[in-house]
Each structure stands twice: as structure tokens, then as C-alpha cells.
Amino acid sequence: MIKNFLVFAFTVFIASSFNAQNRISTVEKSTTFETSSPKLVVGIVVDQMRYDYLTRFYNRFGEGGFKRMINEGFNCKNNHFNFIPTKTGPGHTSVFTGTTPKYHGIIGNDWFDKELKRNVNCVEDNSVESLGTLSNDGKKSPVQMLASTFADENRLFTQMRGKTIGISVKHRGAILSAGHSANAAYWWDYDHDGKGNWISSTFYMESLPKWVDEFNEKGTAKRYFKTWNTLYDINSYKESGTDANRYERVLKGEKQSSFPHDLAELKTENGGFHVVANSPFGNTLTTDFTLKAIEAEQLGKDNITDVLTVSYSSTDKVGHDYGPNSIEVEDTYLRLDLELERLFNALDQQVGKGEYTVFLTSDHGAPHVPSYLEDNKIPSGLFDLNAMLKDVNDKLFDTYKVSNLALSRINNQIFLDHQKMEEHNIDIQELKSVVSRKLLTYKLISTVYITSEINRFPESSGYQERLLFRGHNQKRSGDILFTFNPEVFKDSSWNRTGTDHHSGYNYDTHVPLLFFGKGIKQGETLKRTNITDIAPTMSALLGISFPNASIGQPLEFVID
């Protein structure tokens, strides 16, 4: 009896010791997990960056920017957008929410509001006030974004102790990346009151922080009214076409599109600070402001993860003006490579090498200039959307004797006047069929879809149908959607030189995706990844909830 009792007691002691040790081990593992998260996550979006800019300019990059990310981190070579349209607002939103316009609601940079009967901007918010400017450019917020970002989830996870700051020349690049709960989003007012201030809105704060006011007062932006010449000997730019050609925009005050571009002389006729935003110096200014934000906001200074989002917008503006084959674009990326190196060096010093994590991607790609493709016997074209809308309304008037039944054609979508259709007892489905048949008569239009069809697309639908399905928001999108043939975009005085973007073709969907830093493996893959995989991957790395509407998958082969 005594022997049995001793055996039982010894067994209980051993089991208790094991459980206690297991609890200690669990606590140790938990502590290790908490402290293993990066102190700072930096999400970089390079506006309008095609994937082939990485490979085309690779040999000209230094070791500390793009190459550092590739050599020390992970390169997803087959990364794509998985929805239409490929534009700045939807692109940034999808990168950081892990979902598509169908769920996050940002269906374009602007769209036609069915209740207001006018176009609305994706970040407009008249309930807030501007900070740092007298213009309405500060009346912006993420209120129209329906989903959370991974930065929002990090704020919730850390009981709002982890900071989030968003920075971009473009308001939508700063606001939609940072999310709803961000401490701040800052964008550059280059287009309105002429002061060139970094601004924000009362959505985030009552007044600009002292460090932002001090940055603005120094007039840093004015330093970039200088001559934009090539960084290196212009004869070394072998990866681009000729300097002066008919495919590029000629600024007011210039006789041709060739280097050098004297921004100080050009500013009066070209919108003041606008010429800086449309040059690589806009990216330099973005880095200037970002480095000040890291220092002033003490980002990455403790073990609670902060999130910094940086969108380099001037690449997009240069691309729109000069096109992918221009020396201007090549020079802009060689200069951006130096900006990335400057940013990474600052992070090494202020946060600590190996203590932060970075990803870099783009919000969309871009096609070559149509006239350049045509000169090289590749099918392309420009399509006059305004003329098309007039034609559609003329057809509808001939059919129903009611004027202006089609209200808008924004984002390759036709918005119809449902009120007029009800007042005149017009069958909606019949009218949609009339419009669809009319659209299919245009040579450059490839396909036409009625909204009711898109809502019923099965997952087994064709590739383009799935892209349209994911980009379609039932409440906000139009009644009819259409797509163009490859290498076709809208005709306007702005688009007859340079490039544009919007489609589901590879030139618009294939963009870089690079990871490097704490918790990231070194390697590369040709496996297809989607833009919506980024946010859940970062959430998995941080051990936090995925963004609430995320449809992407964590890229487990990226995480160490």
C-alpha cells in the first residue's frame, strides 16, 4: 500500500514537473515570438513600375537599392494583379488590404456616384478639413475604403501602440495604403496653392505636427527647381530609345522632349511645383520627408511593430509623360535606386540592420506608347471614349426618343440613368442589350459585359472574366463593362504621347514583388503570386489577424 502510494506520488511529481517545464517552455517560446517581430515594416509602392524595369535596368543599378533587396531578400518574379482595373487607387488599396475592388470598394481613382450623379474621387471627404493648405486637396480620408489594411490590424493587435504613417506625393497613395486607423497620412500639395507643402487632413489630427511645419517652412521642395539632366552620360543609356522623338510629351516652353529639362524655367508655364512632381526629384523629396518622419516619429524604436508606407509617385508621372521606352524613365529609375539605398541606409542606422522588414511592389504596370508600337508593326490604338458616349446616346435617342440615357463612361463602364428609364417605362435589360450591341461594333473594343452577367460569373470562368468579377463592386460599378484589345487605351490630348494603364493584360498586371529584412528568406520563385497575397503574408509574419476582407494567401515560401 505504502509502495503504491510512493509510486503514485512520484508519478504526480514527475508529471507536475513536466507540465511546469512545458509551461516555462511555452512562455519562453511566446516571449521569443513577441520579440522576433520586426520593429518596423516598410511597404514601398513604386507607381507604374513594370516588372521588366528590374531586369532591363539591373546592370545599371547600384548594390544598395533594388539589388540589395534581390540579393538579400526574396524575388517573386511572376507577380500579378488579379483584377481589373489596374489603376493607382485600386492598386494601392489591394496591396495593403489583400482583397480586390469587389470587396474593398475602391473601383477606380474616380468613379460615377449613382446617387450624386457626378464623379467622385476615391479619397474625397468633405466632412474633414485641410491641414497645411488652403486648398481642398486636404479634404481627403480613407472613408470610402470598405476594408481594413494589415496596418489597421497591427494597430488593433498592439492596442493602438504600434504607429502607422503613410507618405506619398499623391493623396490616394498615402491614404489608402495606411488605412483607417493610421496615426497620419501625408501627401504633397504640388498642384494648388503654390506653397508646395506636405499636407494632411483633420481625419487624422487637429493640426500638423511641429516637425511637419518645420519641414515645410524650410522650403525643401523649392531646391528641386533645378535642371534635370541625365545622371550619367546620355550615350550610356542603351536600354532606352532615342532622346528626342514624337512619342513623348513636350512641356510648354520646350521645343522638343530631349534633355536637359530646366525646371526653374519651365515652372511658370507648367504648374509650378507640378514640374517637380513630374520629375525624379519628386521621389527625392519623398525620401527627404520620409527620413524626417522616421526620425521625428521615432518609428521602429521599440519592440512594438510600427508600419510605414511609402509610395514613390513620380515614376508614374514621368511614365505618363514620356513612356516606358524613354531615357527619362530609365534615368528616373536609376535615381530611384539611389533613393532606396538612402532609405535603407537610414533604416540600418536608426532602426538597426536586421530589425526591419521591407516589401516593394507597384500599383500597376504600363504599356508602350501606341504610336511607338505601331511604328514597330505591333497592333495598338487609342479609343475616343467621349465620342463613343455621344454615339451611344444618339443610338438610344433614336431607339427610345429620350436624351442622355447614358450618363458616364468612366473606367470602361457605362452608367445608365435609371430614373429616366423608369419615367419612360423603358425595359432595362432591353436597353442594356442595345448598348452592348452598339459597343461591339467598335473595332478596338474586345468584349462587352452586362452587370448581371458579371455577378453570376463562376470561378471557372475565363481569365478575363475572373479579373472583371473581382474588380466589380455591385453598388458602385456601372451597368455595362467593356474591355479593349491589347495595347489600346483612351484617346485624349494627354494620352497621345506617353502611356496610360487600366487593363488586365500582362503589361498592366505584371509588377515586381520583393521582400527583404527580418523574417524573410533569401531566394526567388517563378510561381505565380497575386498582389492580394502581400497583406496576408505580412500579417502572417507579424502573427496578427489578416485584413478583414482579405482573399489572398500567405506566401509561406517567403517567410523564414
Side-chain angles (χ1 to χ4, degrees), residues 260-482:
H261 304 289
D262 190 333
L263 306 189
E265 287 190 1
L266 295 169
K267 66 179 182 180
T268 302
E269 293 187 72
N270 293 278
F273 284 104
H274 207 284
V275 294
V276 176
N278 287 37
S279 78
F281 304 135
N283 290 333
T284 308
L285 179 65
T286 300
T287 307
D288 294 339
F289 188 78
T290 298
L291 297 186
K292 185 62 180 177
I294 293 169
E295 176 188 1
E297 296 290 346
Q298 294 288 286
L299 298 180
K301 288 297 185 181
D302 56 31
N303 290 327
I304 300 174
T305 303
D306 298 322
V307 176
L308 171 66
T309 71
V310 183
S311 177
Y312 285 105
S313 305
S314 292
T315 45
D316 179 74
K317 295 178 177 297
V318 173
H320 278 297
D321 282 348
Y322 299 100
N325 204 47
S326 65
I327 292 176
E328 280 81 0
V329 161
E330 181 176 351
D331 192 66
T332 296
Y333 276 89
L334 297 182
R335 291 176 181 272
L336 176 60
D337 185 55
L338 297 178
E339 294 306 312
L340 294 176
E341 182 174 2
R342 185 157 70 107
L343 174 59
F344 298 156
N345 287 342
L347 292 171
D348 288 343
Q349 294 173 5
Q350 297 192 43
V351 181
K353 193 171 184 178
E355 293 295 338
Y356 60 90
T357 305
V358 181
F359 69 81
L360 182 148
T361 189
S362 183
D363 55 346
H364 53 76
H368 281 285
V369 182
S371 55
Y372 169 72
L373 293 174
E374 289 171 355
D375 286 349
N376 286 279
K377 302 180 181 179
I378 298 174
S380 64
L382 293 170
F383 186 87
D384 191 335
L385 287 166
N386 290 329
M388 178 270 293
L389 184 64
K390 182 181 182 305
D391 289 346
V392 166
N393 272 318
D394 288 346
K395 174 67 176 178
L396 292 176
F397 183 81
D398 290 344
T399 306
Y400 299 104
K401 306 305 177 188
V402 179
S403 62
N404 298 322
L405 282 168
L407 298 172
S408 175
R409 50 71 180 164
I410 192 170
N411 298 324
N412 284 22
Q413 302 174 26
I414 302 292
F415 290 79
L416 301 171
D417 193 327
H418 287 249
Q419 182 178 345
K420 282 186 178 179
M421 286 189 284
E422 290 180 8
E423 290 173 353
H424 293 85
N425 199 29
I426 298 172
D427 183 270
I428 295 177
Q429 295 306 317
E430 179 189 84
L431 185 146
K432 288 181 179 180
S433 180
V434 171
V435 174
S436 298
R437 290 197 299 270
K438 174 62 179 176
L439 294 177
L440 285 171
T441 64
Y442 291 98
K443 180 181 178 181
L444 297 180
I445 287 182
S446 171
T447 54
V448 179
Y449 299 92
I450 295 173
T451 296
S452 55
E453 296 173 344
I454 294 173
N455 291 335
R456 294 195 300 267
F457 280 162
E459 192 59 30
S460 60
S461 298
Y463 176 72
Q464 182 170 255
E465 285 76 11
R466 292 197 298 273
L467 298 185
L468 288 168
F469 176 79
R470 297 189 194 105
H472 179 263
N473 181 277
Q474 191 169 7
K475 286 189 173 182
R476 292 180 177 175
S477 295
D479 296 283
I480 297 170
L481 281 70
F482 58 92

Side-chain angles (χ1 to χ4, degrees), residues 92-106:
H92 280 79
T93 309
S94 296
V95 168
F96 290 89
T97 63
T99 192
T100 68
K102 183 175 184 65
Y103 302 107
H104 62 57
I106 305 300

Side-chain angles (χ1 to χ4, degrees), residues 7-221:
V7 170
F8 173 76
F10 180 75
T11 303
V12 170
F13 172 77
I14 293 296
S16 299
S17 299
F18 177 80
N19 288 335
Q21 183 62 39
N22 191 47
R23 285 196 299 273
I24 293 171
S25 175
T26 301
V27 170
E28 288 176 350
K29 287 182 179 179
S30 176
T31 303
T32 302
F33 173 79
E34 290 174 2
T35 58
S36 68
S37 293
K39 293 182 178 181
L40 177 65
V41 171
V42 183
I44 300 173
V45 177
V46 181
D47 205 321
Q48 202 189 110
M49 185 175 182
R50 294 163 54 111
Y51 175 79
D52 66 353
Y53 290 162
L54 269 186
T55 53
R56 187 170 137 207
F57 306 140
Y58 182 85
N59 291 332
R60 305 210 71 192
F61 291 143
E63 297 300 320
F66 288 111
K67 279 187 178 179
R68 180 176 176 186
M69 295 196 76
I70 292 170
N71 294 333
E72 295 182 18
F74 203 97
N75 183 5
C76 297
K77 296 182 173 183
N78 191 21
N79 183 62
H80 289 264
F81 278 88
N82 54 349
F83 63 86
I84 297 172
T86 43
K87 293 194 173 185
T88 300
H92 280 79
T93 309
S94 296
V95 168
F96 290 89
T97 63
T99 192
T100 68
K102 183 175 184 65
Y103 302 107
H104 62 57
I106 305 300
I107 63 170
N109 295 336
D110 306 273
W111 60 83
F112 184 80
D113 187 290
K114 299 173 186 178
E115 294 183 3
L116 298 176
K117 297 289 181 69
R118 67 171 177 85
N119 289 348
V120 296
N121 185 268
C122 61
V123 289
E124 76 173 56
D125 184 354
N126 290 321
S127 72
V128 300
E129 297 299 325
S130 301
L131 296 177
T133 179
L134 298 176
S135 75
N136 288 332
D137 197 48
K139 291 189 172 185
K140 303 289 188 294
S141 84
V143 68
Q144 300 197 75
M145 181 169 64
L146 305 178
S148 68
T149 65
F150 81 82
D152 286 325
E153 297 301 332
N154 185 64
R155 291 274 286 159
L156 294 171
F157 182 81
T158 62
Q159 301 301 311
M160 301 296 166
R161 290 176 291 179
K163 285 186 175 182
T164 298
I165 305 288
I167 296 171
S168 176
V169 163
K170 294 182 180 180
H171 44 54
R172 53 188 177 269
I175 293 169
L176 299 172
S177 303
H180 301 274
S181 62
N183 300 81
Y186 300 106
W187 53 100
W188 191 39
D189 188 17
Y190 61 89
D191 209 16
H192 294 90
D193 62 11
K195 293 183 178 179
N197 282 346
W198 286 89
I199 66 174
S200 190
S201 80
T202 54
F203 178 86
Y204 302 99
M205 63 198 84
E206 293 182 0
S207 61
L208 290 177
K210 183 180 178 181
W211 69 265
V212 177
D213 285 334
E214 290 176 348
F215 188 95
N216 287 333
E217 288 168 4
K218 286 181 179 179
T220 304

